[in-house]
Amino acid sequence: MKKLIFLLLISVQGLFAQVQFEAKVSKQSLGLNERLRIDFSMNGDGDNFSPPSFEGFRVIAGPSQQVSQSWINGKSSFNKTYSYFLLPLQKGALTIKQATIEINGQVYKTMPVKINVTNAVEQPRDPNDTQISADEALHLVAEVSKTNPYINEPITVVYKLYFSYNIGISNWRELDKPKYNDFWSQNIDIKQLVAEEGRYNGEKYRYVTLRKTVLYPQKSGKLLIEPLSLDIDVQLPTNRRNIFGQVQVVEDHKRVSAGAKTISVKALPEAGKPEDFSGAVGRFTFKVAPSKTNLKSGESLDLEVSVSGNGNLKLFTLPKPIVPSALEMYDPVHNEQVATPLSGMTGKIADKYTIIPQYKGKYPIKPMQFSYFDLGSKTYKTITSPEIMINVMEGPMATNEAVAATTGETKKAILSTAQFKFIKLKTDLKSMKHKDFYGSGLFYILSLFPFLCIPVIVLFKKKKEALDGDLVGNKIRLSNKLAKKYLTEAKNEIGNKGPFYIALEKAMHNFLKAKLNIETSEMSKDNIKVLLESRNANLETVKDFINLTENCELARYAPSTSAAIQQDYDKAVAIISDLEKQIS
C-alpha cells in the first residue's frame, strides 16, 4: 500500500511539474570584437525548436545540443540545451528575440534578451603565442581625389584594402556601406579583384581595390562621406610548427573602417553668372540641328538640341527652342549616351523635338543659348546657336491671324482665298413630306429594344455576381489599380520629395500585392526575393526592386535633387516594366 501511494505521489508530481524554457547568455555587455554564447535550455523533452533571427549578430557556431537526465533521491531531472556562439555586427543596444519550443503539445517561448555592444576591447593574448597581429597587418583606406571641389565638380573615392605579405584573407563582409548624402553618386563595377603591390606608410604591402565611386556634390559647405566598414576573416601564422615543420596558421577576424571623410565644397561664383544658367559644370559643346529645312505643309522634321563633352551631363536641363505658332512642336524625346569612368561623366545628352508646319512660308527658329561653368578657366561660358530658317514650300496660305501670330504684325488686307468665305455654296434642304414615326421601322425597333436588353442585363448580372464572388481576383485588381494610381501620384509629386517617395513606395508594394497575391504583412525582404525568383524573375531585377523599396524610406528624409528624384522614378518604372514581362 505504501509503495502504491509513493508511486502515485511521483506521478502527480510529474504531472504538475512546471515547464521551464529560458535563454541564458554568457555576458550582458561585450565589445564589438568579442563573442557571445547563448543557451536555450528546457526541463522537458521538446520538439520543433525554432531559434530567433539573431538580428544584429552573425552566427559563427551552433546549434550544438546537450541532453542530461538524472535521478536523485527518487526524483528525476531532465535538461536539454541548444547553444549558439554569436559575433555582434554593430554597436549599441541589441535585442535577441524569442525562441520557441513545443513540449507536450504546448508551445513555450523565451523572454527577449537585451545585449549592450560597446567599442572593440583589447583581448589578452597567450604570451607564448607570437603570431602576427591583425591590427598591424590590415588597413582599409579611402582615397579621395579632391577635398575642396566646386558644386557639381566630379571627385572620386577609391577604397583599398592593404594587407601584409604574411597573412591570408579568405572572406569579408560589409558592416556599414558608405553613405553619400548631398552627393550624386555612381559606383564603378569592379569585375575581378586583383592583388597588387603598393606602399602604406612607407612600407610594402599588397592591396586590392574594393570599390570605386564617382561623386558630384550638390550643395556647398562641409559634406561628410560616411565610412565603409568591413568584417574580414584572416589566417595568421604563429611560431608553432606541425610535425612536418610547417608553420601553423590560426583563424581570426578583424574589423576595419576607412574612416569618415569631410569634403569642403565651394559654391559657384555669382559674378558673371548668366541668367539662363541651369547648373552645367564641366566643358561642353552645344548644337541645334534640324533634320531638314525644306519641306511641305503636313510633313515633319526633327530638331535635335544636344550637349556633349565632360561634366555633370545628367544633372542639368537643356534649353527649349522657341518656334513660331505656325509650327506645331511636340514634347521632346530625351536621349542619354553617357558613360561614367573614374574621371567623371562623359558623352552626350539630347532632346529631339518633332515639328510639323501648318502653312506655306518661311519660319525662323530663334537662336538658342547654353551656359556652363568651365572648370578649366573658372569662368562662365555661353554658346549661342545660329538662327534656323524653315522653308515650307507647299501647303495652304496662312490667314491674317496666323500671319500676325507668326510675324507679330497685324495685316488688314484680306487674302483672295478668303474673300467669298461668307457665302454658303452647299445647301441642306429638307423635304416637306415625311413619314409618321408611328408604324415606322424605328418605332418597332425602339419598342422591342427593352425586351432585347433583358438577356444582356441577365448576363451582366451573372458576370457581376461572379466578379463579386472572386475575392482573390478583386483584391488583385484593386492592388493593381492602386499601384497605377500611386505611380501616377508619384509622377505628379516629383517636385515634392516627401510625398513622392511615399507614393512611390505604395505603388511598388501594391504592384507586388497584385502580382504575387500577398498581404502587406508578408512583405519581408526574404519572402519577396523567394516569391519573385519562384516566378522566374531576373535576379538583378529582384535586387534592384528590393534596394529601391528599402531606399524610399531613407530618401524621404535625406537631401536630394529633382534630378535624383526623376532618376528614382524612371528606375521604378523600368523595374515594374521588367517584372511585368518576367513574372510568369
Side-chain angles (χ1 to χ4, degrees):
M1 185 66 181
K2 291 182 179 180
K3 186 176 181 180
L4 181 60
I5 293 174
F6 176 73
L7 293 175
L8 183 60
L9 288 174
I10 292 177
S11 301
V12 171
Q13 183 181 5
L15 182 63
F16 291 98
Q18 184 177 6
V19 175
Q20 293 182 345
F21 179 46
E22 57 185 349
K24 302 177 182 178
V25 293
S26 58
K27 56 181 73 176
Q28 295 286 341
S29 179
L30 71 157
L32 188 62
N33 58 336
E34 292 185 297
R35 299 183 180 184
L36 175 73
R37 173 173 175 163
I38 182 168
D39 297 326
F40 299 97
S41 61
M42 65 207 75
N43 63 351
D45 191 5
D47 297 312
N48 300 325
F49 172 69
S50 177
S53 61
F54 298 118
E55 184 176 351
F57 294 88
R58 178 164 62 93
V59 179
I60 57 177
S64 61
Q65 180 178 330
Q66 294 179 344
V67 178
S68 63
Q69 188 171 7
S70 62
W71 285 81
I72 301 175
N73 297 328
K75 183 178 179 181
S76 67
S77 64
F78 177 88
N79 185 269
K80 179 189 285 188
T81 302
Y82 292 93
S83 300
Y84 291 84
F85 287 90
L86 310 176
L87 187 68
L89 298 177
Q90 62 193 62
K91 294 186 296 183
L94 305 180
T95 301
I96 300 176
K97 298 181 180 179
Q98 295 175 314
T100 61
I101 191 74
E102 184 178 343
I103 302 176
N104 297 327
Q106 188 170 353
V107 176
Y108 294 87
K109 298 181 179 180
T110 61
M111 295 293 292
V113 180
K114 293 185 177 181
I115 305 295
N116 183 37
V117 181
T118 61
N119 292 325
V121 298
E122 184 177 356
Q123 295 178 328
R125 296 176 56 190
D126 185 353
N128 298 320
D129 188 359
T130 59
Q131 71 181 50
I132 295 175
S133 171
D135 294 332
E136 302 169 355
L138 281 173
H139 306 279
L140 181 61
V141 178
E143 297 180 353
V144 181
S145 62
K146 194 171 187 178
T147 57
N148 59 338
Y150 282 101
I151 291 178
N152 274 317
E153 180 179 358
I155 63 173
T156 59
V157 184
V158 179
Y159 295 92
K160 294 181 179 179
L161 178 64
Y162 288 87
F163 54 98
S164 169
Y165 285 87
N166 298 325
I167 70 170
I169 297 176
S170 59
N171 190 25
W172 64 74
R173 293 159 295 279
E174 288 189 357
L175 298 177
D176 291 315
K177 292 184 178 180
K179 297 181 178 63
Y180 309 111
N181 297 328
D182 300 316
F183 290 92
W184 183 94
S185 62
Q186 174 71 54
N187 289 327
I188 298 176
D189 292 334
I190 299 177
K191 297 181 180 179
Q192 185 176 3
L193 298 178
V194 179
E196 302 178 61
E197 292 186 351
R199 287 188 174 273
Y200 178 78
N201 287 343
E203 298 182 8
K204 285 188 176 182
Y205 278 83
R206 290 178 296 167
Y207 73 89
V208 291
T209 302
L210 302 179
R211 183 191 290 260
K212 297 179 181 179
T213 305
V214 179
L215 303 177
Y216 284 83
Q218 297 300 293
K219 71 176 187 179
S220 60
K222 293 187 179 298
L223 305 184
L224 184 68
I225 299 178
E226 297 187 15
L228 169 67
S229 299
L230 301 177
D231 182 18
I232 304 174
D233 296 332
V234 295
Q235 292 84 39
L236 303 175
T238 68
N239 64 337
R240 302 169 184 170
R241 296 180 180 271
N242 58 21
I243 59 175
F244 301 105
Q246 298 172 330
V247 176
Q248 290 186 346
V249 177
V250 296
E251 298 285 339
D252 200 356
H253 66 91
K254 168 70 175 172
R255 302 241 172 133
V256 292
S257 174
K261 300 292 182 181
T262 300
I263 309 297
S264 299
V265 183
K266 297 180 291 187
L268 296 176
E270 292 296 327
K273 180 183 289 187
E275 292 184 1
D276 62 342
F277 178 69
S278 62
V281 176
R283 181 167 293 176
F284 305 102
T285 58
F286 177 61
K287 187 177 180 182
V288 180
S291 59
K292 52 187 174 181
T293 55
N294 296 317
L295 68 163
K296 300 177 182 178
S297 174
E299 290 184 351
S300 65
L301 66 92
D302 291 330
L303 183 69
E304 184 180 75
V305 180
S306 63
V307 170
S308 58
N310 301 317
N312 59 332
L313 288 163
K314 295 183 179 181
L315 303 177
F316 60 83
T317 56
L318 292 169
K320 186 176 181 180
I322 299 176
V323 300
S325 60
L327 302 180
E328 187 173 359
M329 184 173 68
Y330 295 87
D331 290 338
V333 175
H334 186 72
N335 182 37
E336 294 182 355
Q337 298 174 354
V338 180
T340 310
L342 205 57
S343 58
M345 286 187 241
T346 180
K348 172 184 174 182
I349 61 171
D351 284 341
K352 184 176 287 187
Y353 297 84
T354 298
I355 298 176
I356 302 177
Q358 303 298 311
Y359 304 103
K360 180 180 178 181
K362 292 186 176 182
Y363 305 98
I365 296 178
K366 296 181 179 180
M368 299 173 61
Q369 288 186 340
F370 172 73
S371 300
Y372 67 94
F373 182 74
D374 184 11
L375 291 170
S377 62
K378 304 294 189 295
T379 58
Y380 292 97
K381 293 187 177 181
T382 300
I383 304 174
T384 303
S385 67
E387 181 180 86
I388 299 173
M389 185 64 68
I390 304 299
N391 182 22
V392 183
M393 298 177 293
E394 296 182 14
M397 295 296 294
T399 62
N400 60 325
E401 292 85 357
V403 171
T406 301
T407 63
E409 300 177 356
T410 303
K411 294 189 177 182
K412 297 182 178 180
I414 300 176
L415 299 177
S416 60
T417 55
Q419 288 181 359
F420 302 100
K421 199 169 184 179
F422 66 94
I423 300 178
K424 197 169 185 179
L425 302 178
K426 293 184 178 180
T427 62
D428 54 352
L429 301 177
K430 296 181 180 179
S431 174
M432 296 179 61
K433 296 181 179 180
H434 61 276
K435 295 182 179 180
D436 292 334
F437 173 71
Y438 180 77
S440 65
L442 181 60
F443 170 79
Y444 289 111
I445 291 174
L446 294 177
S447 299
L448 294 174
F449 181 75
F451 299 99
L452 296 175
C453 289
I454 293 176
V456 177
I457 294 173
V458 172
L459 291 175
F460 176 78
K461 184 178 180 182
K462 289 184 177 181
K463 181 68 174 177
K464 186 175 183 305
E465 290 175 351
L467 288 175
D468 292 341
D470 184 11
L471 299 179
V472 175
N474 287 337
K475 189 180 296 183
I476 292 174
R477 284 187 287 273
L478 177 60
S479 297
N480 206 5
K481 183 177 179 181
L482 288 174
K484 294 179 180 178
K485 171 189 172 184
Y486 287 123
L487 195 60
T488 303
E489 185 177 328
K491 183 178 181 182
N492 295 333
E493 296 288 349
I494 283 180
N496 301 318
K497 179 179 62 177
F500 168 80
Y501 281 108
I502 292 174
L504 188 65
E505 187 175 11
K506 289 181 179 180
M508 300 187 75
H509 281 180
N510 281 282
F511 172 77
L512 273 190
K513 290 169 68 176
K515 292 301 176 184
L516 302 181
N517 189 20
I518 60 176
E519 298 295 336
T520 303
S521 59
E522 301 175 86
M523 286 191 182
S524 66
K525 175 182 175 182
D526 294 336
N527 193 33
I528 290 173
K529 183 177 180 183
V530 170
L531 289 174
L532 287 175
E533 290 178 359
S534 66
R535 299 286 293 274
N536 300 325
N538 183 275
L539 294 178
E540 190 65 28
T541 307
V542 174
K543 181 180 178 182
D544 291 342
F545 184 92
I546 293 174
N547 288 340
L548 186 56
T549 53
E550 288 179 343
N551 289 338
C552 280
E553 180 67 24
L554 177 63
R556 201 181 308 167
Y557 305 102
S560 61
T561 63
S562 58
I565 295 176
Q566 180 66 49
Q567 185 180 7
D568 285 343
Y569 174 78
D570 295 339
K571 185 183 294 184
V573 173
I575 291 172
I576 290 176
S577 177
D578 290 342
L579 288 177
E580 191 78 56
K581 300 173 184 176
Q582 295 168 9
I583 293 178
S584 58

